[in-house]
Amino acid sequence: MKSITDHGFHITAIETLVLERSVAERFLELYKSVLPEYLPWVDQLASGASVVLEVNHPEGTVYQRFRHLVGPSDPNVARTIRPNTLRAMYGRDKVHSGVHCTDLERDCQSDLEFIFRYIARPDGR
């Protein structure tokens, strides 16, 4: 988290969750027919605790800035071409990438709602 705040991001929501496999499947569903890593990703996400964050940045363009900080989806590629990114520093491989960030800006709000409204705070708090 220090790496994130050191880059000017403000953490506006944080939860630690353990997702059941069925919930992990629903959360990653849009990747099911696109990425061969879908099932290993589901297994990884359901294997233990995850810290989920909502971040903001005072200069706006949060999605683009955060995607840039996260880096390429493959940590091995990230270590070669963008070694100061989160995935380069904390990821092992495409399944254990250290960080999940939605691929499309238009999916940000629905991902946040899925995690924070329906999973972390089902009572709406």
Side-chain angles (χ1 to χ4, degrees), residues 12-68:
T12 55
I14 183 170
E15 295 284 345
T16 300
L17 305 173
V18 177
L19 299 180
E20 294 178 12
R21 183 177 174 78
S22 62
V23 174
E25 287 173 349
R26 280 198 335 252
F27 182 68
L28 297 172
E29 187 171 12
L30 66 104
Y31 299 101
K32 189 174 187 175
S33 63
V34 181
L35 294 176
E37 296 88 9
Y38 169 74
L39 287 176
W41 272 7
V42 168
D43 292 338
Q44 170 60 21
L45 193 57
S47 71
S50 295
V51 177
V52 294
L53 305 174
E54 177 185 63
V55 298
N56 208 333
H57 197 282
E59 296 178 26
T61 61
V62 177
Y63 175 78
Q64 293 86 356
R65 287 175 184 276
F66 197 70
R67 286 288 298 170
H68 185 76

Side-chain angles (χ1 to χ4, degrees), residues 2-11 56-59 69:
K2 184 169 178 356
S3 297
I4 294 168
T5 57
D6 283 351
H7 283 84
F9 290 93
H10 299 180
I11 297 171
N56 208 333
H57 197 282
E59 296 178 26
L69 176 60

Side-chain angles (χ1 to χ4, degrees), residues 71-87:
S73 61
D74 186 334
N76 294 313
V77 171
R79 279 188 278 284
T80 301
I81 63 172
R82 303 224 351 255
N84 295 321
T85 61
L86 297 177
R87 287 183 175 142

